[in-house]
Amino acid sequence: MDWAFGLRTETLSLNQLLLYVYSRKGFDLIFSRSLLIYRGEAKKKKKKAKALLMDFSILTNAMSSKSYDKIATICDKLKLQVAAEGIAFQDEWPYAIHLLGHIYVNDINSARFLWKSIPEAIKESRPEVVAAWKIGQRLWTRDYAGVYEAIREFNWSPEAQGLVASFAELYTKRMFELLLLAYSTISIQDTALFLGMNEDDATNYVLQQGWSVDIASQMLTVKKLAIVTEQKLDPGKLQRLTEYVFHLEH
Amino acid sequence: MNLNMNSMESMVAQIQGLSSTPQDLSHLHSYLKQSEDLLRSESTRLAPLLAELDPAKHSLGYLYILEACTSVPVLKEQANELVLSVVRFINACAADQIRLVPDKFISLCKRLKEHVMLLDAPIRGVAPMLTAIKKLQSSPEHLTTLHPDFLLFCLLAKCYKTGLSILEDDIYEVNQPRDFFLYCYYGGMICIGQKSFGKALELLHNVVTAPMSNINAIAVEAYKKYILVSLIHLGQFTTSFPKYTSSVAQRNLKNFSQPYLELANSYSTGKILELQACVQENRGKFEAENNLGLVKQVVSSLYKRNIQRLTQTYLTLSLQDIANTVQLSSPKEAEMHVLQMIQDGEIYAIINQKDGMVRFLEDPEQYKTCEMIEHIDSSIQRIMSLSKKLTTMDELMSCDPSYLHKAGRERQRFDFDDFDPVPTKFNI
């Protein structure tokens, strides 16, 4: 879906427009903006027309195909391209998605720098951006339980919803793997905090993974996974060994 | 006036005509070099000529005219137009044509930098500068004058990740020493921002040990950061310089970094309170030199160092004991510290909450896996190519006349082997 669509709405009837809008799942941002234009906000149209030069199609495709790990790189590249053209992109830029993209791939450094570069006005007027950063902040300070709070306490917009839900799952898995690595015994209370569940759910979750529980002391015993190492060699290695010996001889 | 317009027209015609084959291009190049004065004198009226040329096909001519156009000082209002026109040229131009006149291209990019800074929007310069570097470089191993400008833009616009991409290329060719100093210094700062302290240490080490005839400010600042990064990454700092450091650096660098050396001394005692006192004392200086953030990271790294030191003495230790030894406030805090270190891969340990104990483990790496073999393989390949490069450089240098001249002069005495057993003159 390209931005030029916004400029063509004058020629579409309202019915056609609504049909188009409801048949696509994707950025509400785009749709709300195009509807605004249809409603004839002629004065703002010129300014928005310039902003519509940004081509978000790659980003929308990535979002709808759930390739969330690519979001951060796509956003970075697009932002630099747009900035080079001298377009004032700050008002229309999807900062929340951009921040969440960095958080998804655990690049909190880039998320921090992005947060620092956002203008104050945007921080004050867009609560979703602030909420997205809150998750990043909790990750930065290693407030493991706080991350879940930050995810749950905000009412995410539809386009961010999928990304946030996917991240929450990923984070729970990462936390579980950390517990496997770092603990031999751990209290039920702490496990619940780390996994972002209540104590019963947490206990059931880990019991399914093979852990054992001692109700009396409220302690869980971790079951380590057997380490699987791959040891297949291929003939290409022999070629490389020959190269090394040749190099050493000369 | 008319004469000049006619010559302008003929110039445009020449550019359009002579931009196809390499021989034509070299004719065009010499023609343009001769017309430089004319271009300079007409700089205010050159803008309409650009409309008749295609930046992709007539890059050489376009570059000459654009560079002359932009050489006049420009007001802030017009800076935006100028920046846009230069950016569009950089994106469209043909790399082989502009490589014929690297100096002009570089001065055009420098002007872009000035105006982007004037507009106070460094993010606008990041993408164009990267394209410019890729087009100007004769190979990814070549360091251009534009590299430090690009890294500076990345730092100012906070696009650290983009900067990292260019730092991954190994540099073998340097034209100007100043470019190299700035490149390594800014590169070090970008790596620090992205927390790859190993690479930062390497880059800062290059600045400090690079050959220099006079002490320069870049090396002084780099040395300060070098001390701090060395403490964070290696947990120690040696004040002795490697043999290949220039004597100028060895004598002077330490004089400018007194507070940092004091910090390194108190770090080596391992006592948190002493370190914090030292930081407090010199806080003003650290802040003024923009190093306070790094200094704070040094302080938090001391806790990690102390915990790591415990692994060398104990097999198991209680959380309470860890808290006491490392001077943390509670066993829970000690547990969180150990957990964070396990998460970052800085320690191998297992926490037992039931008994409140931590058991320290050996590095579980068996060096038997496929990944490890790949890793070792790629390292060996890199070393082999580096070794080949060194051999070629060595051969080139041994044929160099200035080297031979110097080597010949230093042979004061003849060794016994130098006497040629075969007589060179026959006396008949």
Side-chain angles (χ1 to χ4, degrees):
Chain A
M1 178 194 184
D2 63 4
W3 281 102
F5 161 72
L7 289 167
R8 289 203 308 264
T9 51
E10 285 181 323
T11 57
L12 289 175
S13 74
L14 182 54
N15 280 338
Q16 282 175 312
L17 175 59
L18 285 173
L19 249 166
Y20 191 97
V21 163
Y22 290 123
S23 65
R24 302 287 226 108
K25 298 186 180 79
F27 260 17
D28 257 11
L29 246 112
I30 309 172
F31 301 140
S32 57
R33 196 153 293 123
S34 3
L35 282 173
L36 272 172
I37 294 172
Y38 186 84
R39 287 194 203 124
E41 301 213 3
K43 259 184 266 170
K44 292 189 202 162
K45 208 187 348 177
K46 256 194 196 159
K47 186 169 152 211
K48 282 197 180 358
K50 197 176 176 207
L52 293 173
L53 287 170
M54 297 188 269
D55 180 11
F56 280 118
S57 55
I58 311 176
L59 186 56
T60 37
N61 285 339
M63 290 289 280
S64 43
S65 64
K66 296 202 192 296
S67 15
Y68 295 128
D69 47 344
K70 301 210 178 79
I71 300 282
T73 359
I74 294 175
C75 282
D76 278 339
K77 215 163 148 195
L78 199 56
K79 189 163 171 232
L80 288 175
Q81 274 173 5
V82 162
E85 288 291 316
I87 301 176
F89 60 89
Q90 276 89 344
D91 290 334
E92 272 88 24
W93 191 257
Y95 279 115
I97 305 288
H98 198 169
L99 277 170
L100 289 168
H102 281 306
I103 290 172
Y104 191 85
V105 290
N106 212 21
D107 185 1
I108 312 299
N109 289 314
S110 298
R112 254 177 67 233
F113 290 127
L114 179 63
W115 173 252
K116 283 191 196 174
S117 71
I118 299 178
E120 279 303 318
I122 307 267
K123 287 183 192 175
E124 284 165 19
S125 62
R126 302 229 288 238
E128 192 172 54
V129 176
V130 178
W133 170 240
K134 206 165 176 193
I135 303 180
Q137 202 176 31
R138 300 275 164 92
L139 283 167
W140 178 251
T141 52
R142 315 253 200 161
D143 181 359
Y144 300 112
V147 174
Y148 294 105
E149 279 170 31
I151 293 177
R152 287 186 193 138
E153 69 189 10
F154 189 77
N155 203 6
W156 300 99
S157 63
E159 59 261 13
Q161 184 61 36
L163 183 46
V164 174
S166 193
F167 171 69
E169 264 182 54
L170 189 64
Y171 182 67
T172 313
K173 235 195 306 187
R174 265 190 221 150
M175 280 293 109
F176 181 70
E177 278 164 17
L178 178 61
L179 294 182
L180 269 185
L181 185 61
Y183 284 94
S184 62
T185 59
I186 181 171
S187 68
I188 297 184
Q189 191 188 24
D190 277 343
T191 316
L193 280 174
F194 279 124
L195 295 178
M197 307 171 186
N198 62 37
E199 293 191 5
D200 292 322
D201 285 341
T203 321
N204 289 333
Y205 182 83
V206 302
L207 282 177
Q208 277 174 1
Q209 303 286 337
W211 292 20
S212 48
V213 63
D214 178 9
I215 307 284
S217 57
Q218 290 280 295
M219 280 290 176
L220 293 160
T221 314
V222 176
K223 176 160 185 274
K224 302 279 178 196
L225 294 171
I227 302 173
V228 175
T229 53
E230 212 188 292
Q231 290 197 31
K232 285 198 294 269
L233 292 175
D234 66 276
K237 302 279 195 311
L238 214 52
Q239 173 65 21
R240 264 185 267 178
L241 281 174
T242 329
E243 279 172 31
Y244 299 159
V245 175
F246 178 78
H247 178 81
L248 289 170
E249 293 279 320
H250 294 77
Chain B
M1 196 82 104
N2 278 335
L3 270 174
N4 278 340
M5 284 320 292
N6 281 339
S7 42
M8 288 289 109
E9 295 294 330
S10 60
M11 185 181 298
V12 173
Q14 285 272 26
I15 294 174
Q16 284 169 332
L18 291 176
S19 290
S20 23
T21 69
Q23 289 117 315
D24 283 348
L25 278 173
S26 49
H27 285 316
L28 182 60
H29 189 189
S30 26
Y31 168 75
L32 285 169
K33 265 201 277 211
Q34 289 161 358
S35 326
E36 270 211 63
D37 292 328
L38 179 61
L39 283 172
R40 289 248 169 272
S41 59
E42 295 292 321
S43 48
T44 43
R45 281 178 290 183
L46 292 173
L49 294 178
L50 289 174
E52 299 173 38
L53 295 172
D54 176 10
K57 279 191 289 194
H58 311 127
S59 303
L60 187 57
Y62 201 102
L63 175 58
Y64 264 87
I65 299 183
L66 187 59
E67 204 263 334
C69 255
T70 55
S71 58
V72 284
V74 139
L75 304 162
K76 195 166 174 177
E77 294 79 46
Q78 294 165 314
N80 189 36
E81 291 302 316
L82 191 146
V83 167
L84 282 174
S85 56
V86 176
V87 167
R88 287 198 191 116
F89 173 64
I90 293 177
N91 286 334
C93 67
D96 49 335
Q97 288 199 25
I98 55 148
R99 277 190 211 140
L100 293 172
V101 271
D103 299 326
K104 279 231 176 285
F105 189 67
I106 288 175
S107 77
L108 187 69
C109 292
K110 291 277 180 199
R111 223 153 280 148
L112 172 69
K113 177 188 167 190
E114 272 168 39
H115 291 273
V116 166
M117 300 300 256
L118 195 63
L119 290 170
D120 201 19
I123 193 168
R124 287 180 70 166
V126 175
M129 209 48 107
L130 185 58
T131 328
I133 290 177
K134 293 263 158 36
K135 289 197 178 171
L136 186 60
Q137 264 183 336
S138 44
S139 77
E141 300 166 356
H142 177 212
L143 185 75
T144 63
T145 323
L146 302 175
H147 276 80
D149 291 336
F150 168 69
L151 290 177
L152 180 63
F153 280 145
C154 286
L155 279 168
L156 290 172
K158 303 208 195 303
C159 300
Y160 285 65
K161 211 156 137 186
T162 326
L164 267 184
S165 61
I166 208 114
L167 287 170
E168 278 161 13
D169 296 328
D170 292 320
I171 300 289
Y172 287 105
E173 256 183 80
V174 177
N175 294 337
Q176 289 278 350
R178 187 161 176 270
D179 298 336
F180 181 69
F181 280 117
L182 278 175
Y183 169 79
C184 288
Y185 178 63
Y186 290 144
M189 283 172 74
I190 288 189
C191 289
I192 291 174
Q194 288 292 103
K195 306 257 180 278
S196 33
F197 290 113
K199 182 126 185 115
L201 199 63
E202 202 185 290
L203 285 164
L204 291 170
H205 181 89
N206 283 340
V207 186
V208 168
T209 56
M212 54 179 114
S213 47
N214 290 313
I215 196 78
N216 66 53
I218 307 170
V220 168
E221 293 306 310
Y223 189 61
K224 295 175 187 165
K225 292 200 162 64
Y226 180 66
I227 298 176
L228 296 174
V229 174
S230 177
L231 289 176
I232 296 174
H233 187 66
L234 300 172
Q236 58 180 10
F237 175 72
T238 46
T239 48
S240 61
F241 289 96
K243 269 199 303 189
Y244 45 85
T245 322
S246 65
S247 49
V248 171
Q250 288 194 26
R251 274 177 289 158
N252 295 318
L253 280 177
K254 289 190 199 162
N255 303 340
F256 294 96
S257 337
Q258 269 314 110
Y260 299 85
L261 292 167
E262 280 171 25
L263 190 73
N265 278 335
S266 59
Y267 189 94
S268 56
T269 62
K271 298 207 175 19
I272 263 290
L273 291 169
E274 259 192 57
L275 185 65
Q276 280 172 338
C278 181
V279 172
Q280 207 43 45
E281 211 184 294
N282 291 313
R283 199 189 167 91
K285 280 185 224 146
F286 293 144
E287 220 165 344
E289 289 165 358
N290 288 322
N291 284 328
L292 191 60
L294 257 183
V295 170
K296 288 192 183 151
Q297 288 186 50
V298 170
V299 174
S300 53
S301 79
L302 187 58
Y303 287 108
K304 285 191 214 170
R305 268 327 131 195
N306 287 341
I307 296 180
Q308 272 175 344
R309 221 171 284 165
L310 289 173
T311 65
Q312 291 165 352
T313 329
Y314 296 94
L315 274 179
T316 59
L317 196 57
S318 74
L319 286 167
Q320 184 63 51
D321 283 332
I322 296 182
N324 292 340
T325 328
V326 180
Q327 289 162 35
L328 290 165
S329 49
S330 69
K332 198 68 191 166
E333 211 186 310
E335 188 185 325
M336 284 298 117
H337 264 273
V338 174
L339 182 62
Q340 283 170 25
M341 285 173 75
I342 296 175
Q343 195 179 26
D344 293 338
E346 292 164 353
I347 196 176
Y348 301 101
I350 300 216
I351 305 172
N352 189 334
Q353 266 197 1
K354 202 154 141 195
D355 308 328
M357 300 288 284
V358 178
R359 193 169 84 231
F360 298 121
L361 304 169
E362 292 288 328
D363 182 352
E365 182 61 64
Q366 293 273 340
Y367 298 96
K368 287 198 289 196
T369 58
C370 275
E371 286 97 41
M372 190 45 77
I373 294 179
E374 289 298 326
H375 188 69
I376 297 178
D377 242 349
S378 64
S379 298
I380 296 183
Q381 298 278 12
R382 271 188 7 244
I383 294 178
M384 274 167 55
S385 63
L386 182 63
S387 158
K388 283 196 189 95
K389 267 214 161 35
L390 270 175
T391 330
T392 14
M393 281 174 84
D394 191 38
E395 283 171 13
L396 268 174
M397 249 193 268
S398 4
C399 308
D400 190 77
S402 46
Y403 167 75
L404 288 170
H405 184 66
K406 191 153 192 242
R409 261 192 303 160
E410 283 176 10
R411 274 177 41 171
Q412 300 290 355
R413 283 179 294 240
F414 285 103
D415 292 328
F416 191 70
D417 292 347
D418 284 340
F419 284 109
D420 202 342
V422 176
T424 50
K425 272 198 205 151
F426 285 99
N427 289 325
I428 299 176

